[in-house]
Amino acid sequence: MSEFSTGDAPSGERSSPQELGSSPQGDAPAHEADDSRETPAAPAQERPSGFAVRTAADIAGAAPDFDHDHATPLARAAEHVVLARHGARMRPPLGRPSSTRVFVVANQKGGVGKTTSTVNIAAALAQLGQRVLVVDLDPQGNASTALGVEHHRGVPSTYDALVDGVPLAEVVATSPEVEDLQVVPATIDLAGAEIELVSVVAREGRLRRAILGHPQVGSAAELGDERLDYVLIDCPPSLGLLTLNALVAGNEMLIPIQAEYYALEGLGQLLETVDMVKAHLNPALSVSTILVTMYDARTRLAAGVAEEVREHFGDQVLKTTIPRSVRVSEAPSYGQTVMTYDPGSPGALSYLEAAREIATQGANA
């Protein structure tokens, strides 16, 4: 798609091997950096538009140095447990929004970090003192897995809320890893929901009615401190009826974009769908947040993609980027987000800063 073209110019070879210290993730081995043939990204101050992305290395450099006493591995592991379990108490809470913010996390391209971003931003917001609900709308149930809640067939789920009209509050589970984080799990039954909803009147508004009917969704004036601050809807990688339900239900949209060229190609189709939904079904929907994921600061391609996204979307793009990280990928296999699995890792620090940006930008929304 020409509108988001990253250019045809080939990257030159690096004159010297990449140093390990400049890697965007702490767990990349040295030989990976040495073998890279991509030209390092130009420093932020040299880029023509003046846009400076914030990488995990920047965030880690600004964070307190917990390792100044050269603690043993066991001591560092214990420190990570303390950070994970008591992170919300150790960090100053952020201002809560005046009413519940409903985010749709969507991108019809698979593998760009939708589910990963949903669960980690949700956990980070909860650690920052917010009350969060995650609605898993993907039949694969990966968000439910990462948040440690059961989602086998027979568990009350989003299917019951969408198809049978069960109140959302009756299908909510509490994440065992993070305080103030609730989940509406998804089961494999959700895969057949699109077919079952074909003959239902106003089928595209089922999720919206379910969310608005939740007793904790509303404004501070109506509900006080018991209200939910954020509802994050994790969508499947498609533009079908499930995603349409999410777009109708949400007020804001968060689009994760992988820092690679292919991730830009399908973005135009997604934005066309958003415009159609705004015109006919949900005028309040806005693309408020763009998050660049899988960012590799060693390559010109990643910097170029981030720059083009920034030029097109402006301030909607978060300054914080999410690096490629093994820790982020490992966490779901333990039924956790990276925020509790390894809270000191570059991925966790980046998601925490991204969540802080989201909360700060909309504190008075």
Side-chain angles (χ1 to χ4, degrees):
M1 185 171 59
S2 60
E3 185 180 7
F4 295 104
S5 172
T6 55
D8 299 323
S11 298
E13 293 191 5
R14 194 168 32 242
S15 58
S16 60
Q18 172 75 38
E19 295 182 3
L20 181 61
S22 61
S23 172
Q25 58 189 48
D27 43 24
H31 66 81
E32 290 183 9
D34 293 337
D35 291 343
S36 173
R37 296 178 62 82
E38 304 238 18
T39 304
Q45 62 270 21
E46 296 178 7
R47 296 173 195 158
S49 69
F51 168 58
V53 296
R54 189 156 48 209
T55 65
D58 299 328
I59 298 167
D65 182 10
F66 292 107
D67 197 32
H68 64 277
D69 59 350
H70 303 287
T72 64
L74 183 60
R76 286 196 295 271
E79 175 187 290
H80 281 183
V81 172
V82 172
L83 283 171
R85 301 297 182 183
H86 305 286
R89 300 191 190 98
M90 296 173 66
R91 301 182 179 104
L94 296 179
R96 300 176 63 186
S98 58
S99 62
T100 305
R101 301 176 66 187
V102 182
F103 275 87
V104 182
V105 185
N107 191 331
Q108 83 273 18
K109 185 181 185 305
V112 299
K114 288 186 302 297
T115 298
T116 300
S117 296
T118 300
V119 298
N120 284 297
I121 287 177
L125 286 169
Q127 289 187 351
L128 291 170
Q130 312 295 301
R131 297 168 63 90
V132 185
L133 172 66
V134 173
V135 178
D136 191 352
L137 207 59
D138 189 343
Q140 298 177 90
N142 292 336
S144 305
T145 298
L147 294 173
V149 299
E150 295 184 356
H151 58 97
H152 55 78
R153 179 167 286 167
V155 170
S157 67
T158 47
Y159 173 87
D160 301 287
L162 283 177
V163 178
D164 298 330
V166 176
L168 205 61
E170 296 182 12
V171 295
V172 167
T174 301
S175 175
E177 296 295 330
V178 183
E179 189 176 354
D180 290 330
L181 178 56
Q182 297 179 319
V183 189
V184 180
T187 64
I188 192 61
D189 293 331
L190 197 59
E194 294 196 15
I195 298 175
E196 297 184 51
L197 290 174
V198 165
S199 60
V200 176
V201 177
R203 57 187 179 271
E204 67 279 350
R206 304 278 290 185
L207 183 59
R208 179 181 180 84
R209 288 194 295 273
I211 291 176
L212 292 179
H214 193 289
Q216 292 178 294
V217 172
S219 66
E222 297 169 343
L223 304 174
D225 291 340
E226 295 303 313
R227 72 188 183 281
L228 287 168
D229 298 307
Y230 294 87
V231 176
L232 275 66
I233 307 172
D234 181 40
C235 296
S238 69
L239 293 177
L241 186 55
L242 292 177
T243 300
L244 181 60
N245 259 267
L247 294 175
V248 173
N251 297 324
E252 302 181 60
M253 191 171 180
L254 189 159
I255 304 178
I257 298 179
Q258 185 179 1
E260 293 184 3
Y261 174 75
Y262 285 142
L264 299 177
E265 286 197 315
L267 192 56
Q269 184 181 358
L270 176 62
L271 295 178
E272 288 178 6
T273 303
V274 171
D275 289 338
M276 291 177 60
V277 171
K278 290 177 64 175
H280 301 287
L281 297 170
N282 184 11
L285 180 65
S286 66
V287 179
S288 65
T289 308
I290 307 292
L291 177 64
V292 178
T293 62
M294 305 181 191
Y295 185 85
D296 189 343
R298 297 171 299 179
T299 67
R300 288 190 181 276
L301 176 61
V305 170
E307 190 68 32
E308 289 206 23
V309 171
R310 178 71 179 192
E311 288 176 1
H312 185 77
F313 291 101
D315 291 338
Q316 294 162 290
V317 185
L318 297 183
K319 293 182 176 64
T320 303
T321 58
I322 308 301
R324 291 185 178 274
S325 173
V326 173
R327 294 298 189 189
V328 172
S329 302
E330 284 178 349
S333 65
Y334 293 89
Q336 299 181 49
T337 66
V338 74
M339 304 306 300
T340 58
Y341 176 67
D342 191 354
S345 66
L349 293 173
S350 297
Y351 273 118
L352 183 68
E353 191 62 25
R356 195 189 306 275
E357 278 194 69
I358 292 172
T360 302
Q361 290 173 0
N364 298 317

